[in-house]
Amino acid sequence: MKKVFAALVLSFSSNLFAANFFSGEAGLCASFVNKSAHKFDPTLFFNGFFAGQFSLTNSLSFRTDLSLRTSDVFTNGLTKDAESVFRINEISAEYIKSFAGATHALTFFKGSSESVGTQHFIRRRLGTENYSSFLTENYLGLNAPNAYDIHGNGGSYSLTLKSIPVSAGLCVSKNSDVPGEAELNADFRLACAFRYLTMDFMAGAGAPIYTKNDAGEDVFLLIDTLYIHSGLDMLIGNSHTPLALYVLGGFDYLPVKKNDKTTDLKPKDIFMLVEPRISIGKAKIHLSAYNIPATKLTNFIFIEESLGANIRIFSDCLYTKNHDYSAGLNASAGLTGKYFDDLKSLESEDIKDNLSVTVSPFTEIQANKGILRIMLQANVIKLKDEKPDAVKLHIGYKKEL
């Protein structure tokens, strides 16, 4: 009888522990910008986020993701009031159950949910490590740069196989991206994490739901346009191969109408980042070319131009005083307000007026189970022309909770 009672106590204790499990991640970045070309006149902005998951049981959990941006806190003083933007990026509930040789996950969400480029889906389902580009590094959680943003009110179902690292799913959501009408979206998702291929692909369509026709008559359902959207986050190779290729691309809306053979998808609507990666001993070289829609540039910290190229030379195998760290140099050249279709008609005057060249030494240090990132940006063109905002310093820290 005592053995039975002890077994019951142990079983109850383990369930109680699982019901009170919390995990999360938090980050904060301070950006110093010198707004004067002739004297030290800095401004200070903060970007931060908090993402947490609370597990009530082994199967049921709740998640939230919060982000914060501030205006210049030097204006009124560091400890005084400053204008800021607070955003709840996600509130969701998820139920996970394993049976029939697979893990099944059912999620209901409000806000953003595992957008393509954030890598939340593939990391949660397949346990992959972060493999994103340094250029998309951000401290805004789910509000960070992404190729295709899944948002609104909705739900998703995914099936992850136990025999091979593959996960597939379906997401249905409702938002109001089309002015004046609610839009229903359905997307198919496929992710895999093999030794030399890591991929998260999503494609689907959205349709505004009209309740009146052109004559103003009530109808049960009227769909006259489909909006196609897609996203791809892929790494060919891995962090240990001498050569690898990272691709992040997508688009939010491609209108498709009956009997209309034209396409409205333009380069200014396409998110594209292509990054070959080379490893030579302890040295690594990442070459990047990007085409970023203007609507998504606001979420970047290190990129300000819509079209450009970047080279990052660094080593992540450095060690000193019981700390691992990496260090290197980042250099980029970009054109503001231009896209890849503008290259064929660019004139020297366009390049002179819109060119930006940036040189940025940086380091990343593992500290207190987190990562401290320090990067100094110097815009060569602005320094030469004695323009403001030529020098920036970013200090950011991320940590798992």
Side-chain angles (χ1 to χ4, degrees), residues 302-338:
F302 307 131
I303 294 180
E304 297 179 353
E305 304 79 30
S306 50
L307 179 69
N310 184 87
I311 180 171
R312 183 184 186 219
I313 304 173
F314 67 102
S315 176
D316 57 2
C317 303
L318 305 176
Y319 180 82
T320 182
K321 294 183 179 179
N322 299 322
H323 291 288
D324 294 326
Y325 74 97
S326 63
L329 183 68
N330 204 70
S332 63
L335 294 171
T336 304
K338 301 295 181 180

Short mmCIF file of all heavy atoms in Angstrom, two decimals, residues 302-338:
data_model
loop_
_atom_site.label_atom_id
_atom_site.label_comp_id
_atom_site.label_asym_id
_atom_site.label_seq_id
_atom_site.Cartn_x
_atom_site.Cartn_y
_atom_site.Cartn_z
N PHE A 302 19.84 47.30 -39.01
CA PHE A 302 21.10 47.49 -39.71
C PHE A 302 20.94 47.82 -41.19
O PHE A 302 21.92 48.12 -41.85
CB PHE A 302 21.96 46.23 -39.57
CG PHE A 302 22.14 45.79 -38.14
CD1 PHE A 302 21.93 44.48 -37.76
CD2 PHE A 302 22.51 46.71 -37.17
CE1 PHE A 302 22.10 44.09 -36.44
CE2 PHE A 302 22.68 46.32 -35.86
CZ PHE A 302 22.48 45.01 -35.49
N ILE A 303 19.73 47.74 -41.75
CA ILE A 303 19.48 48.05 -43.16
C ILE A 303 18.55 49.24 -43.27
O ILE A 303 17.50 49.27 -42.63
CB ILE A 303 18.87 46.83 -43.90
CG1 ILE A 303 19.87 45.68 -43.97
CG2 ILE A 303 18.47 47.22 -45.31
CD1 ILE A 303 19.33 44.46 -44.69
N GLU A 304 18.93 50.22 -44.07
CA GLU A 304 18.09 51.38 -44.31
C GLU A 304 17.73 51.54 -45.78
O GLU A 304 16.84 52.31 -46.12
CB GLU A 304 18.81 52.66 -43.83
CG GLU A 304 19.10 52.69 -42.34
CD GLU A 304 19.84 53.94 -41.93
OE1 GLU A 304 20.24 54.70 -42.83
OE2 GLU A 304 20.02 54.16 -40.72
N GLU A 305 18.41 50.81 -46.67
CA GLU A 305 18.20 50.95 -48.11
C GLU A 305 17.39 49.77 -48.63
O GLU A 305 17.52 48.64 -48.18
CB GLU A 305 19.54 51.01 -48.85
CG GLU A 305 20.46 52.11 -48.37
CD GLU A 305 21.19 51.76 -47.08
OE1 GLU A 305 21.44 50.56 -46.85
OE2 GLU A 305 21.46 52.68 -46.29
N SER A 306 16.57 50.02 -49.64
CA SER A 306 15.71 48.98 -50.20
C SER A 306 16.47 48.01 -51.11
O SER A 306 16.06 46.86 -51.28
CB SER A 306 14.56 49.62 -50.99
OG SER A 306 15.06 50.59 -51.90
N LEU A 307 17.58 48.44 -51.69
CA LEU A 307 18.35 47.61 -52.61
C LEU A 307 19.82 47.72 -52.24
O LEU A 307 20.35 48.83 -52.07
CB LEU A 307 18.15 48.07 -54.05
CG LEU A 307 18.92 47.32 -55.14
CD1 LEU A 307 18.38 45.90 -55.30
CD2 LEU A 307 18.84 48.07 -56.48
N GLY A 308 20.51 46.57 -52.12
CA GLY A 308 21.91 46.67 -51.75
C GLY A 308 22.62 45.34 -51.68
O GLY A 308 22.05 44.28 -51.96
N ALA A 309 23.89 45.41 -51.30
CA ALA A 309 24.74 44.24 -51.14
C ALA A 309 25.56 44.40 -49.87
O ALA A 309 25.83 45.54 -49.42
CB ALA A 309 25.65 44.06 -52.34
N ASN A 310 25.96 43.29 -49.28
CA ASN A 310 26.64 43.32 -48.00
C ASN A 310 27.68 42.21 -47.94
O ASN A 310 27.50 41.13 -48.51
CB ASN A 310 25.62 43.13 -46.87
CG ASN A 310 26.25 43.25 -45.49
OD1 ASN A 310 26.36 44.35 -44.96
ND2 ASN A 310 26.66 42.13 -44.91
N ILE A 311 28.79 42.47 -47.26
CA ILE A 311 29.79 41.45 -46.98
C ILE A 311 30.10 41.46 -45.50
O ILE A 311 30.28 42.53 -44.90
CB ILE A 311 31.07 41.65 -47.82
CG1 ILE A 311 32.08 40.54 -47.50
CG2 ILE A 311 31.66 43.03 -47.61
CD1 ILE A 311 33.28 40.53 -48.42
N ARG A 312 30.12 40.28 -44.91
CA ARG A 312 30.40 40.14 -43.49
C ARG A 312 31.56 39.15 -43.33
O ARG A 312 31.45 37.99 -43.72
CB ARG A 312 29.16 39.65 -42.75
CG ARG A 312 29.35 39.55 -41.23
CD ARG A 312 28.12 38.96 -40.58
NE ARG A 312 28.19 38.98 -39.13
CZ ARG A 312 27.75 38.01 -38.34
NH1 ARG A 312 27.20 36.93 -38.87
NH2 ARG A 312 27.84 38.11 -37.03
N ILE A 313 32.67 39.61 -42.78
CA ILE A 313 33.85 38.77 -42.55
C ILE A 313 34.06 38.68 -41.05
O ILE A 313 34.20 39.70 -40.36
CB ILE A 313 35.09 39.38 -43.23
CG1 ILE A 313 34.84 39.59 -44.73
CG2 ILE A 313 36.31 38.48 -43.03
CD1 ILE A 313 35.95 40.33 -45.43
N PHE A 314 34.08 37.45 -40.52
CA PHE A 314 34.15 37.30 -39.06
C PHE A 314 34.66 35.92 -38.68
O PHE A 314 34.82 35.03 -39.52
CB PHE A 314 32.77 37.53 -38.45
CG PHE A 314 31.76 36.46 -38.80
CD1 PHE A 314 31.43 35.46 -37.89
CD2 PHE A 314 31.14 36.45 -40.04
CE1 PHE A 314 30.50 34.48 -38.21
CE2 PHE A 314 30.22 35.47 -40.37
CZ PHE A 314 29.90 34.49 -39.46
N SER A 315 34.90 35.76 -37.41
CA SER A 315 35.22 34.46 -36.83
C SER A 315 34.39 34.28 -35.58
O SER A 315 34.29 35.19 -34.75
CB SER A 315 36.71 34.37 -36.47
OG SER A 315 36.99 33.14 -35.82
N ASP A 316 33.78 33.11 -35.44
CA ASP A 316 32.96 32.83 -34.25
C ASP A 316 33.59 31.76 -33.38
O ASP A 316 32.91 31.10 -32.59
CB ASP A 316 31.54 32.40 -34.67
CG ASP A 316 31.54 31.20 -35.59
OD1 ASP A 316 32.63 30.66 -35.90
OD2 ASP A 316 30.45 30.79 -36.02
N CYS A 317 34.90 31.58 -33.50
CA CYS A 317 35.62 30.56 -32.73
C CYS A 317 36.64 31.19 -31.78
O CYS A 317 37.71 30.63 -31.53
CB CYS A 317 36.32 29.58 -33.67
SG CYS A 317 35.24 28.76 -34.85
N LEU A 318 36.35 32.37 -31.28
CA LEU A 318 37.27 33.08 -30.41
C LEU A 318 36.90 32.83 -28.95
O LEU A 318 35.74 32.60 -28.60
CB LEU A 318 37.23 34.58 -30.72
CG LEU A 318 37.52 34.94 -32.19
CD1 LEU A 318 37.35 36.44 -32.40
CD2 LEU A 318 38.91 34.49 -32.60
N TYR A 319 37.92 32.91 -28.08
CA TYR A 319 37.70 32.59 -26.66
C TYR A 319 38.65 33.40 -25.79
O TYR A 319 39.84 33.52 -26.11
CB TYR A 319 37.94 31.10 -26.43
CG TYR A 319 37.75 30.65 -25.00
CD1 TYR A 319 36.48 30.37 -24.50
CD2 TYR A 319 38.85 30.50 -24.15
CE1 TYR A 319 36.31 29.95 -23.19
CE2 TYR A 319 38.68 30.10 -22.84
CZ TYR A 319 37.41 29.82 -22.37
OH TYR A 319 37.23 29.42 -21.07
N THR A 320 38.12 33.99 -24.73
CA THR A 320 38.95 34.71 -23.79
C THR A 320 38.24 34.83 -22.44
O THR A 320 37.02 35.05 -22.39
CB THR A 320 39.29 36.13 -24.31
OG1 THR A 320 40.14 36.78 -23.37
CG2 THR A 320 38.04 36.96 -24.50
N LYS A 321 38.99 34.66 -21.37
CA LYS A 321 38.49 34.84 -20.00
C LYS A 321 37.15 34.12 -19.77
O LYS A 321 36.17 34.71 -19.31
CB LYS A 321 38.35 36.33 -19.67
CG LYS A 321 39.68 37.06 -19.63
CD LYS A 321 39.49 38.51 -19.24
CE LYS A 321 40.83 39.23 -19.18
NZ LYS A 321 40.69 40.66 -18.81
N ASN A 322 37.11 32.85 -20.13
CA ASN A 322 35.94 31.99 -19.91
C ASN A 322 34.71 32.41 -20.71
O ASN A 322 33.58 32.07 -20.35
CB ASN A 322 35.57 31.96 -18.42
CG ASN A 322 36.69 31.41 -17.56
OD1 ASN A 322 37.37 30.47 -17.97
ND2 ASN A 322 36.89 32.00 -16.40
N HIS A 323 34.91 33.17 -21.79
CA HIS A 323 33.79 33.60 -22.62
C HIS A 323 34.09 33.31 -24.09
O HIS A 323 35.18 33.61 -24.58
CB HIS A 323 33.52 35.11 -22.46
CG HIS A 323 32.98 35.48 -21.11
ND1 HIS A 323 31.69 35.17 -20.73
CD2 HIS A 323 33.54 36.15 -20.07
CE1 HIS A 323 31.48 35.63 -19.49
NE2 HIS A 323 32.60 36.23 -19.08
N ASP A 324 33.10 32.74 -24.78
CA ASP A 324 33.18 32.60 -26.23
C ASP A 324 32.70 33.91 -26.86
O ASP A 324 31.75 34.53 -26.38
CB ASP A 324 32.29 31.45 -26.72
CG ASP A 324 32.79 30.10 -26.24
OD1 ASP A 324 34.01 29.93 -26.14
OD2 ASP A 324 31.95 29.22 -25.95
N TYR A 325 33.35 34.30 -27.94
CA TYR A 325 32.90 35.51 -28.61
C TYR A 325 33.26 35.43 -30.09
O TYR A 325 34.07 34.60 -30.52
CB TYR A 325 33.50 36.76 -27.97
CG TYR A 325 34.96 36.99 -28.26
CD1 TYR A 325 35.36 37.86 -29.29
CD2 TYR A 325 35.95 36.35 -27.52
CE1 TYR A 325 36.70 38.08 -29.56
CE2 TYR A 325 37.29 36.57 -27.79
CZ TYR A 325 37.67 37.43 -28.80
OH TYR A 325 38.99 37.65 -29.07
N SER A 326 32.64 36.28 -30.87
CA SER A 326 32.95 36.40 -32.29
C SER A 326 33.19 37.87 -32.58
O SER A 326 32.70 38.76 -31.88
CB SER A 326 31.81 35.86 -33.15
OG SER A 326 30.63 36.60 -32.96
N ALA A 327 33.95 38.14 -33.64
CA ALA A 327 34.25 39.51 -34.02
C ALA A 327 34.50 39.56 -35.51
O ALA A 327 34.90 38.57 -36.13
CB ALA A 327 35.47 40.03 -33.26
N GLY A 328 34.24 40.73 -36.10
CA GLY A 328 34.45 40.86 -37.53
C GLY A 328 34.10 42.23 -38.04
O GLY A 328 33.93 43.19 -37.27
N LEU A 329 33.98 42.31 -39.36
CA LEU A 329 33.70 43.56 -40.04
C LEU A 329 32.56 43.36 -41.02
O LEU A 329 32.52 42.37 -41.75
CB LEU A 329 34.94 44.06 -40.78
CG LEU A 329 34.81 45.42 -41.50
CD1 LEU A 329 34.68 46.54 -40.48
CD2 LEU A 329 36.01 45.66 -42.41
N ASN A 330 31.65 44.31 -41.02
CA ASN A 330 30.49 44.29 -41.92
C ASN A 330 30.56 45.53 -42.81
O ASN A 330 30.75 46.64 -42.32
CB ASN A 330 29.20 44.32 -41.08
CG ASN A 330 28.02 43.73 -41.81
OD1 ASN A 330 27.96 42.53 -42.03
ND2 ASN A 330 27.09 44.57 -42.21
N ALA A 331 30.41 45.33 -44.12
CA ALA A 331 30.43 46.46 -45.05
C ALA A 331 29.28 46.31 -46.03
O ALA A 331 29.02 45.20 -46.52
CB ALA A 331 31.76 46.54 -45.79
N SER A 332 28.58 47.40 -46.32
CA SER A 332 27.43 47.32 -47.21
C SER A 332 27.36 48.55 -48.10
O SER A 332 27.87 49.62 -47.77
CB SER A 332 26.13 47.20 -46.41
OG SER A 332 25.92 48.36 -45.61
N ALA A 333 26.72 48.37 -49.24
CA ALA A 333 26.44 49.47 -50.18
C ALA A 333 25.01 49.30 -50.64
O ALA A 333 24.60 48.20 -51.06
CB ALA A 333 27.41 49.44 -51.36
N GLY A 334 24.22 50.37 -50.58
CA GLY A 334 22.80 50.27 -50.94
C GLY A 334 22.30 51.54 -51.60
O GLY A 334 22.91 52.60 -51.53
N LEU A 335 21.12 51.39 -52.22
CA LEU A 335 20.46 52.51 -52.88
C LEU A 335 19.08 52.72 -52.25
O LEU A 335 18.27 51.78 -52.21
CB LEU A 335 20.31 52.23 -54.38
CG LEU A 335 21.62 52.16 -55.18
CD1 LEU A 335 21.34 51.67 -56.60
CD2 LEU A 335 22.31 53.52 -55.21
N THR A 336 18.83 53.88 -51.77
CA THR A 336 17.55 54.20 -51.13
C THR A 336 16.46 54.39 -52.19
O THR A 336 16.65 55.12 -53.17
CB THR A 336 17.68 55.47 -50.29
OG1 THR A 336 18.73 55.29 -49.34
CG2 THR A 336 16.38 55.76 -49.56
N GLY A 337 15.31 53.74 -51.96
CA GLY A 337 14.17 53.92 -52.85
C GLY A 337 14.29 53.26 -54.21
O GLY A 337 13.47 53.52 -55.09
N LYS A 338 15.29 52.40 -54.40
CA LYS A 338 15.48 51.70 -55.67
C LYS A 338 15.27 50.21 -55.47
O LYS A 338 15.45 49.67 -54.38
CB LYS A 338 16.88 51.96 -56.23
CG LYS A 338 17.19 53.43 -56.47
CD LYS A 338 16.31 54.02 -57.55
CE LYS A 338 16.64 55.48 -57.81
NZ LYS A 338 15.79 56.08 -58.87
#
